[in-house]
Amino acid sequence: MLPEILDAQAGWMIGHRSAECKRLVWDIMPKLRQVFRTEGRVFFQASSGTGLLEAAVRNCVDKKALHCINGAFSQRWYEISQANGKACDSIEVPWGEAIKPEMVSEKLASGEYDTVAFTHNETSTGVTSPIKALAEAVRQGANGDEIVIMVDSVSGMAGARLETDDWDVDVVVSASQKAFALPAGLAFCSVSERAMKRAAGVPNRGYYFDFLELDRYFVKYQTPSTPAISLLFALDQQLDVILAEGYDQRMARHLAMRDRTISWAKSQGFSLFAEAGYESPTLTCVSNDPGIDVAGLNQYLKELGMTLSNGYGSQLKEKTFRIAHMGQLQMADLEALFAAIEGYMAGA
Ligand SMILES: *Cc1c(COP(=O)(O)O)cnc(C)c1O
């Protein structure tokens, strides 16, 4: 995170119905649309990503949802649908693998689903699923034109390519604290015409996250309830940073960091947890084949002002560890991290 972006949060408060606030939202909207690669709506709300993942389900699932599960976060989204009383099924592949178009086509052939949920970038396993091909498979299948495609891109958007309009995906959810390199507390989501139309016919969408209510205010550059104004100051500036780098350049930087992380990990005797060909541009999940003490490594790194993430949950802790290469991290940051890990492994 850039220090000037953290500092941007310290601006004096403005009233949420003031002209300045309207101006702020007016400034943010086109930039957010550019990052989301859409000319349609992008809402934001004060919550973590989970808030808008729940909103997607509340607003879009009418008949039945199909959740595609390949890790902890996609599993959790399925549980969110269940917790909201929505009819839903799942297809599941082993953790570490990507969801494939054929599996989805096969499951959708029954014609019973009106909503499909994909996780773009599974943060628990470092796997990116092929959203473009998956969306194509949905559109070509039974009532493909009516299906609302929901995508969790909480750890993908702004780091791993997702062409919202070109790939014809309906709801894309993200959050401030991952690849956007912002403090936690803001969630974003793009919502297509198809999804808005669906929402209009879905009862009990709730209040705080109702897409229709959000839309009624966003068209006036306002929000239904008080926005997280400090975070909006930071968002406004960070979007400038992201767009100044350039979309293609930002994607390329992430891919270069990923490729370097993969080759470094292999050079040190590690293998990758992610299925080959689906390795995430924003984080690499490394299999801990040599059996190093990951918690000890992290303690060591902390003293050097660095960190990595242990494997996700009881299943993957100590068996894997995850190296983030998202946000404003640069190749030099990674090189410093690799040197430190090598130092630790050499017993320094
Ligand atoms: C972090 C993350 C979430 C949860 O987001 P919160 O902002 O913590 O609610 C959901 N899905 C994915 C893929 C994530 O990486």
Side-chain angles (χ1 to χ4, degrees), residues 295-306:
L297 167 62
N298 231 348
Q299 207 52 43
Y300 174 85
L301 291 174
K302 220 160 246 162
E303 280 163 30
L304 300 171
M306 303 176 194

Side-chain angles (χ1 to χ4, degrees), residues 193-258:
E193 283 301 326
R194 189 190 280 109
M196 287 302 291
K197 243 180 242 156
R198 170 70 58 75
V202 173
N204 302 316
R205 297 183 301 272
Y207 192 90
Y208 188 62
F209 291 110
D210 176 10
F211 286 169
L212 272 68
E213 192 68 4
L214 285 163
D215 192 48
R216 222 158 60 77
Y217 282 86
F218 270 88
V219 294
K220 300 180 288 186
Y221 303 103
Q222 289 190 335
T223 53
S225 48
T226 313
I229 290 168
S230 306
L231 286 166
L232 294 187
F233 290 149
L235 171 64
D236 189 32
Q237 289 196 22
Q238 177 62 10
L239 288 169
D240 289 336
V241 170
I242 292 172
L243 294 171
E245 181 175 11
Y247 189 84
D248 290 340
Q249 287 80 354
R250 192 172 177 89
M251 298 303 118
R253 173 168 59 81
H254 285 77
L255 289 175
M257 291 193 297
R258 174 200 61 189

Side-chain angles (χ1 to χ4, degrees), residues 48-50 53 73 76 119 121 123 152 154-155 175 177-178:
S48 78
T50 305
L53 289 173
F73 289 103
R76 198 194 282 179
T119 296
N121 192 68
T123 320
D152 169 351
V154 171
S155 65
Q177 79 277 20
K178 307 249 171 99

Side-chain angles (χ1 to χ4, degrees), residues 121-190:
N121 192 68
E122 243 307 342
T123 320
S124 60
T125 62
V127 169
T128 302
S129 283
I131 298 299
K132 181 178 187 219
L134 290 167
E136 270 168 19
V138 172
R139 295 289 174 235
Q140 283 160 12
N143 52 306
D145 223 28
E146 290 150 38
I147 290 180
V148 169
I149 301 177
M150 313 187 293
V151 182
D152 169 351
S153 192
V154 171
S155 65
M157 186 58 72
R161 184 175 294 275
L162 204 168
E163 301 285 350
T164 300
D165 283 358
D166 280 0
W167 298 355
D168 196 15
V169 289
D170 296 295
V171 177
V172 181
V173 177
S174 198
S176 52
Q177 79 277 20
K178 307 249 171 99
F180 278 86
L182 282 163
L186 268 186
F188 318 111
C189 81
S190 64

Side-chain angles (χ1 to χ4, degrees), residues 109-120:
S110 69
E112 66 194 292
Y113 303 101
D114 65 357
T115 321
V116 180
F118 296 117
T119 296
H120 179 209

